Amino acid sequence: MGELADNSSGIAPLLPPMFDDACELTGFPRDLEIWPLAEDHSGGNLEAVRASLRAAASHGNWLWPDQPVVFVSDPHADADGFLRSLVASGAVRRRGDDFSLTAFGNTAKIVVGGDCLDKGPSNLDMLDALRELIDQGADLHLLAGNHDLRLRLAIRGLTMPRTPLTEHLFVRMGRKILPLLREIRTRYVTSADLARVPDEKACRKKIFPSRDWVETFPVAAAPYLTPAGIDKEMRKLKKKSKQFAKQAKAEGLTMRELYAAALCCHDLFLTPGGAYSWFFTAMDVIERIGSLLFVHAGIDDAMCDLLAHQGSKAVNARYRLEAEKDPFSFYSGSVANLVRTKYRPVDGLLTEEGVNALHECGIKMIVQGHVNNHRGQRILSKRGLLHLEGDVTLDRSSRHLEGLPGIGAGATLIFPTGDVVGLSSDYPRVKHFKPEHHLVEIHHA
């Protein structure tokens, strides 16, 4: 058990008032403890974290945000989990189906760490909640997650001119977006829309890659993937083709309905003026705030170099250019590695050189989502770089599969004072991290 944190030194309050009118968060933790970095559920390798803290400290002092930051990640189409998290953070007050920003919420920067889509129960409800926050004037920053980009790549692959590198993308990426397409079919697709698409057989032909794809893809993909990578992609496509057809049937979608919904989705999300076009327009792939780099998954050496020499605007500009221009090479490259890496051998490399580049330009810690945690946030060292994992498994679908009860709630709060707190309904206390406190521990160890 971690020691209770002392919050009596006159610093700004670390736990803003929580307005839980619906009593959904009864018993939510409010007592602070020093972040238990040695415990597996909160870090696990204390010496590695201390080494990363020393390395970060050797490049100067931490630079903290000018305003409080509320980080919530991986809501996965569960608006209730997302809004409960904002209530728990003190940023939002809920009254029935309505919510409003609190005084604290109006002063905070809210960073959503990606993966707003998929899993359920409703993608459109989640998007509508984000839109309402924006309309209320929230300082909201959206980061791209792999599940969000899956929608973008799938729809682009279906609607752009077919090539060996793009004609498989809808099936390759699309199985997990089928629930969203079912929602689009129900809410937006009209009988006139259905009348404009061809018959079932023709729609299936448009959705699935051509028969000669197995011959044409390896040649086209050779500049982007190794032979092993090409083989893996083809094996995945074969497996996902079977899953896709089965899942579409389970969602109650014919090929005609699916194709019509996908075209409608293109109009809604990827066409200027579409009802949800703001979602990808507002989305960046990284957000730098002082010494912190917010990103969905992680980083590799190539992105470290670009960030260190040209800044975060250059990284986000490259993301927008590549995602729009060349979907396949984009998803195979370093920019998309930011949304999908788990530092596996198949992912982009992060080496000591990349970590040093970040430290030298003042970045000391990655704040990320992407990795499900069951007992609140974790702070750990990955490849020698501090990472704060902020995905606390909010959505009810993931929680059911992973044996967690109900709907989750949790957020990471980062204050101008250099205090970082981790809130989670799955951990009995609020975790409190302050780098210099742990440096003092290092000095006396």
Side-chain angles (χ1 to χ4, degrees), residues 190-263:
T190 66
S191 55
D193 292 329
L194 280 172
R196 283 193 288 269
V197 301
D199 62 27
E200 189 78 358
K201 183 177 180 180
C203 285
R204 184 181 182 89
K205 190 174 181 180
K206 289 179 178 292
I207 288 169
F208 285 83
S210 56
R211 290 185 177 182
D212 65 352
W213 181 83
V214 293
E215 286 84 33
T216 58
F217 175 75
V219 177
Y224 306 103
L225 298 176
T226 64
I230 291 171
D231 181 66
K232 180 181 179 181
E233 188 74 5
M234 295 179 72
R235 285 188 283 107
K236 279 193 172 184
L237 194 279
K238 183 177 181 180
K239 178 181 178 181
K240 288 179 180 292
S241 293
K242 295 178 181 178
Q243 294 173 334
F244 185 89
K246 183 178 179 180
Q247 185 64 32
K249 185 176 181 180
E251 295 289 342
L253 294 169
T254 67
M255 290 296 142
R256 291 186 72 244
E257 290 174 318
L258 181 55
Y259 187 62
L263 295 180

